[in-house]
Amino acid sequence: MQQGAEEMGRSLQDMQNNNAEPVEPVDFRTLRDLIPSSINGFEEIDREGARNSMSGFTLVQASAQFEGSDRERLEIEIIDIGGAPGLSVLGLGMVAMDIDRESSTGFERTGTYQDHRLYEKFEETNGSGEKVVLVDNRFVVKVSGRDTSNETLDQALQAIDISALESLRASTQTESE
């Protein structure tokens, strides 16, 4: 148990060190454009984006909400935390942990998705869940839903172009150097 806590502490420290200096975040419109306008029978009902700054820290966020048949709901969010160093440690500790829990009604686990850390949770009883991917300690991709299936959440996550986010990170680092 102590070894696990030490490993988690090292992972959190690595994440914080990798994000120690703020970088200029991308425009929220760029992130918003990475969210697909439709997902396997779900209709988009809202799309938004924002840039918020306070005390030298900037957070950029884009999201879209979708509705399917039978009250199914999905939300996709993409957040650039590059302008807020250390935020990945504060809000994404579960991504750094190793979790593997199952019950008769659902699961919670961490793993990898396209070589990035993944946290996922799903509750069968109400069809609610989320999948969170931390892309290069810079971008957070979150897919959440209710009255839906885990397979639908998987499809929504697969609709996001993770390689485009990797390219955005590389291009913004090059500009700031």
Side-chain angles (χ1 to χ4, degrees):
M1 190 172 198
Q2 182 178 354
Q3 181 183 6
E6 289 171 1
E7 287 177 20
M8 186 178 91
R10 281 192 298 275
S11 293
L12 290 171
Q13 186 65 43
D14 289 346
M15 289 170 71
Q16 189 172 26
N17 290 341
N18 288 338
N19 203 18
E21 291 297 319
V23 296
E24 183 61 31
V26 299
D27 187 286
F28 73 82
R29 293 163 189 86
T30 302
L31 297 181
R32 193 178 58 197
D33 290 346
L34 292 176
I35 300 173
S37 58
S38 65
I39 300 171
N40 293 348
F42 281 78
E43 180 182 324
E44 182 179 308
I45 56 174
D46 191 24
R47 181 175 290 252
E48 60 185 74
R51 175 185 176 101
N52 297 299
S53 297
M54 184 177 89
S55 301
F57 298 114
T58 302
L59 205 59
V60 173
Q61 171 269 336
S63 65
Q65 291 77 38
F66 301 85
E67 189 171 67
S69 61
D70 263 354
R71 302 180 333 200
E72 288 180 293
R73 303 284 281 204
L74 284 176
E75 181 174 12
I76 296 176
E77 297 175 83
I78 303 176
I79 305 166
D80 183 352
I81 58 175
L87 187 61
S88 60
V89 174
L90 296 176
L92 300 168
M94 79 276 188
V95 176
M97 296 173 62
D98 285 325
I99 301 170
D100 190 7
R101 293 187 190 115
E102 287 186 17
S103 71
S104 60
T105 61
F107 65 85
E108 179 181 22
R109 60 183 165 233
T110 55
T112 58
Y113 177 77
Q114 297 184 12
D115 295 325
H116 301 285
R117 284 298 284 174
L118 166 72
Y119 167 81
E120 56 185 339
K121 182 176 184 176
F122 191 77
E123 190 64 43
E124 292 283 341
T125 54
N126 59 9
S128 67
E130 67 181 359
K131 297 185 184 288
V132 180
V133 179
L134 179 60
V135 179
D136 295 336
N137 292 329
R138 166 83 185 266
F139 298 102
V140 177
V141 175
K142 180 179 178 185
V143 174
S144 57
R146 69 175 195 268
D147 296 321
T148 192
S149 69
N150 188 52
E151 292 75 24
T152 299
L153 294 175
D154 283 336
Q155 292 169 352
L157 182 58
Q158 291 166 6
I160 304 298
D161 186 354
I162 299 295
S163 63
L165 288 170
E166 293 167 336
S167 296
L168 283 174
R169 180 179 190 262
S171 68
T172 57
Q173 278 185 321
T174 303
E175 292 170 9
S176 63
E177 292 176 356

